[in-house]
């Protein structure tokens, strides 16, 4: 039997406090209907994942219970609950507000934020290591492209775009940055990398600490302004894209410019004929994951599908897809929170079921955070699949300029 709620435990100031943090969050919009819990794929899989209970605790003013509720950090902030809510109540925003009130976030979250503020990137890559990595990639691309004059453009003024990427692409996966730069070369892109601030990620998207959020993202935007690039293009990283868009909307007061996901740029290049592609080079069946931060939260749905249909022969859609697609289970900073791998793999099961149902042999995962989770679930559930970023599939499909035209896509 549930414990009774005692009047003395209620704090009527809690709702107003939270509403202030969220610029007028209206709790009267909540109908207590439970559609949020019905929409949460994890409410029946793991403990402490009931969004309806959480929002009711806040609305009632159960301050102590809410501030110690495991939901605050077990929620993946994927907003699957919100798309099912008839009133559009954003429980992820509520969760983030409570995270921001936590003195010391769990796991590695605060350590990552501190490293980013100190070094300019979340992986604490020092300037010398960054410079040497780019020099090495330049040499590798000169050989790969058979172009001894190839140079990575750094601090180039007035470029069409500055490329903001993920520190993983420097510290752990430089071959993925090499792949992206190869595609840029094939498209004859007029772009630049910054020598100073290049990491577009922002772990404070998950900690809710807005002062640190601004401190992390502002220097990246200042670099776009300094170099006078026409726009900022963000790599295949859902939280880097979401962070950049959110910072621009809420905090950036400088020069205005578009912030776009790299899949949007790829789609434009294919439409313009700047990338010569042969999708027969990717013959295995491929399915596509919709990262929550890219698709559900920022609405970028069509460009990646336009691209993938031009670079693979056998594309298979997951069901459901788009804004109703299922989170992979690693959102909300779960990879860096003190959550067990066992819990992440339990949350991965609905996504595993989606993957298996498609019969695909390759998962296209246009997000760094998500692909780490997919690689873990691939091993844990013994799926025998390959997981790739979209950039890899594009590179596979590239044909040289002097090659004959591939058949037009239907």
């Amino acid at each position: 039997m549930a414990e009774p709620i005692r009047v003395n435990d209620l704090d009527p100031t809690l709702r107003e406090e939270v509403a202030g943090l969220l610029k007028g969050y209206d709790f009267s919009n909540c109908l207590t209907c439970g559609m949020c819990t019905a929409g949460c794929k994890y409410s029946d899989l793991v403990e402490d994942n009931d969004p309806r209970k959480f929002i009711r605790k806040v609305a009632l003013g159960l301050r102590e219970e809410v501030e110690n509720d495991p939901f605050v950090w077990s929620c993946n902030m994927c907003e699957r609950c919100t798309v099912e809510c008839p009133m559009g109540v954003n429980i992820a925003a509520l969760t983030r507000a409570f995270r921001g009130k936590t003195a010391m976030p769990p796991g590695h979250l605060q350590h990552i934020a501190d490293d980013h503020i100190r070094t300019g990137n979340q992986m604490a890559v020092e300037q010398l290591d960054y410079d040497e990595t780019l020099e090495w990639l330049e040499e590798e691309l000169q050989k790969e492209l058979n172009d001894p004059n190839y140079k990575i453009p750094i601090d180039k003024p007035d470029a069409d775009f500055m490329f903001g990427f993920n520190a993983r692409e420097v510290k752990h996966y430089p071959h993925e940055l090499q792949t992206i730069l190869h595609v840029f070369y094939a498209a004859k892109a007029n772009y630049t990398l910054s020598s100073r601030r290049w990491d577009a990620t922002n772990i404070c998207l998950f900690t809710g600490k807005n002062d640190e959020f601004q401190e992390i993202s502002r220097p990246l935007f200042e670099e776009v302004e300094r170099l006078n690039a026409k726009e900022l293009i963000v790599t295949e990283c859902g939280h880097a894209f979401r962070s950049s868009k959110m910072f621009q909307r809420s905090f950036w007061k400088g020069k205005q410019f578009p912030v776009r996901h790299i899949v949007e740029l790829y789609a434009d290049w294919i439409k313009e004929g700047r990338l010569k592609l042969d999708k027969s080079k990717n013959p295995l069946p491929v399915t596509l994951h919709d990262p929550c931060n890219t698709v559900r939260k920022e609405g970028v749905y069509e460009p990646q599908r336009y691209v993938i249909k031009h670079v693979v022969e056998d594309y298979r859609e997951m069901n459901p897809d788009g804004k109703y697609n299922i989170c992979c289970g690693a959102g909300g900073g779960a990879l860096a929170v003190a959550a067990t791998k066992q819990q992440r793999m339990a949350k991965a099961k609905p996504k595993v079921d989606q993957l298996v149902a498609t019969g695909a042999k390759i998962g296209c995962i246009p997000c760094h955070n998500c692909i780490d989770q997919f690689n873990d679930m691939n091993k844990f559930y013994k799926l025998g699949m390959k997981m790739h970023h979209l950039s890899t599939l594009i590179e596979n499909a590239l044909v040289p300029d002097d090659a004959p035209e591939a058949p037009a896509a239907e």
Side-chain angles (χ1 to χ4, degrees):
M1 183 175 178
E3 288 291 325
I5 297 175
R6 303 186 185 280
V7 174
N8 289 342
D9 294 334
L10 306 183
D11 182 348
T13 68
L14 181 62
R15 285 173 53 151
E16 288 72 21
E17 179 184 325
V18 174
L21 291 172
L22 295 172
K23 297 181 180 179
Y25 198 90
D26 189 352
F27 288 94
S28 66
N29 285 338
C30 177
L31 305 177
T32 72
C33 65
M35 284 302 294
C36 53
T37 300
C40 178
K41 292 296 181 180
Y42 308 135
S43 61
D44 295 328
L45 288 178
V46 297
E47 293 182 349
D48 307 317
N49 268 265
D50 191 327
R52 179 179 178 272
K53 286 183 180 178
F54 181 69
I55 193 172
R56 295 316 300 162
K57 290 176 184 177
V58 179
L60 289 169
L62 294 168
R63 179 182 292 274
E64 183 176 355
E65 191 169 341
V66 171
E67 291 181 350
N68 293 289
D69 195 326
F71 179 85
V72 173
W73 294 103
S74 66
C75 173
N76 289 98
M77 299 168 62
C78 74
E79 295 190 16
R80 187 65 165 70
C81 55
T82 299
V83 298
E84 299 290 354
C85 175
M87 301 299 290
V89 176
N90 192 324
I91 292 176
L94 183 63
T95 302
R96 185 176 184 273
F98 270 91
R99 289 184 174 194
K101 290 159 58 67
T102 305
M104 180 57 68
H108 305 295
L109 288 168
Q110 191 59 51
H111 176 72
I112 294 170
D114 292 342
D115 276 348
H116 204 144
I117 292 169
R118 177 178 62 84
T119 67
N121 66 89
Q122 67 165 337
M123 293 287 174
V125 176
E126 299 294 345
Q127 186 68 42
L128 178 62
D129 294 328
Y130 174 65
D131 294 340
E132 289 183 346
T133 299
L134 291 187
E135 289 174 9
W136 172 74
L137 285 177
E138 190 170 86
E139 293 171 0
E140 290 297 304
L141 281 162
Q142 286 172 354
K143 291 184 286 187
E144 180 185 0
L145 302 171
N146 194 27
D147 182 355
N149 298 316
Y150 171 81
K151 295 290 182 184
I152 298 174
I154 301 172
D155 291 343
K156 178 182 178 181
D158 306 318
D160 289 341
F161 66 91
M162 189 182 98
F163 182 49
F165 41 106
N166 187 309
R168 284 183 175 97
E169 293 167 336
V170 173
K171 187 165 186 177
H172 297 303
Y173 311 120
H175 61 284
E176 294 183 357
L177 181 55
Q178 181 175 337
T179 290
I180 294 167
L181 297 181
H182 183 182
V183 177
F184 288 179
Y185 179 87
K188 298 179 175 59
N190 174 24
Y191 72 100
T192 188
L193 306 185
S194 168
S195 64
R196 301 177 184 177
R197 293 300 281 258
W198 40 269
D199 187 354
T201 67
N202 192 329
I203 203 70
C204 294
L205 180 70
F206 308 132
T207 67
K209 296 186 181 300
N210 281 333
D211 54 344
E212 294 179 358
F213 179 84
Q214 295 179 65
E215 192 172 353
I216 286 172
S217 285
R218 183 175 292 107
L220 181 74
F221 277 66
E222 289 173 345
E223 279 300 275
V224 180
E225 190 173 50
R226 177 179 75 88
L227 296 172
N228 198 37
K230 294 183 178 64
E231 61 180 341
L232 173 64
I233 297 294
V234 180
T235 193
E236 291 184 62
C237 176
H239 107 251
F241 179 59
R242 170 73 168 173
S243 297
S244 298
K245 296 286 285 186
M246 181 175 166
F247 175 78
Q248 185 181 50
R249 281 193 298 264
S250 302
F251 303 109
W252 176 240
K253 305 301 182 185
K255 172 189 172 183
Q256 294 302 304
F257 46 82
V259 176
R260 292 200 297 156
H261 196 289
I262 196 171
V263 299
E264 298 177 273
L265 182 67
Y266 287 157
D268 285 350
W269 284 347
I270 292 173
K271 291 173 186 176
E272 295 164 6
R274 293 175 61 175
L275 292 174
K276 187 182 292 187
L277 303 165
D278 179 0
K279 62 183 181 180
S280 69
K281 293 186 174 186
N282 289 311
L284 296 177
V286 178
T287 191
L288 175 69
H289 169 62
D290 285 318
C292 304
N293 282 308
T294 304
V295 179
R296 187 159 27 246
K297 298 182 184 182
E298 291 298 337
V300 178
Y301 171 82
E302 291 293 348
Q304 56 269 44
R305 283 166 171 79
Y306 181 85
V307 174
I308 204 167
K309 290 173 183 178
H310 283 77
V311 298
V312 307
E313 281 196 314
D314 185 354
Y315 172 59
R316 304 182 182 187
E317 192 74 79
M318 288 192 208
N319 182 31
D321 66 328
K323 71 177 183 178
Y324 293 102
N325 198 22
I326 300 170
C327 174
C328 66
L335 285 169
V337 175
T340 64
K341 184 176 179 180
Q342 182 179 4
Q343 184 184 90
R344 281 197 293 111
M345 290 303 99
K347 288 185 172 183
K349 188 59 168 61
K351 179 57 65 176
V352 168
D353 293 340
Q354 276 194 303
L355 285 170
V356 172
T358 68
K361 300 299 181 184
I362 295 174
C364 179
I365 321 296
C367 174
H368 268 287
N369 186 74
C370 294
I371 205 168
D372 284 349
Q373 172 79 340
F374 273 79
N375 285 329
D376 282 348
M377 73 170 76
N378 195 20
K379 296 174 184 176
F380 186 86
Y381 287 100
K382 298 179 172 59
L383 301 179
M385 297 179 67
K386 293 180 180 179
M387 305 298 175
H388 292 311
H389 288 304
L390 184 56
S391 300
T392 300
L393 297 176
I394 295 173
E395 184 182 42
N396 289 347
L398 287 174
V399 294
D401 283 337
D402 56 357
E405 286 282 341
E410 296 180 1

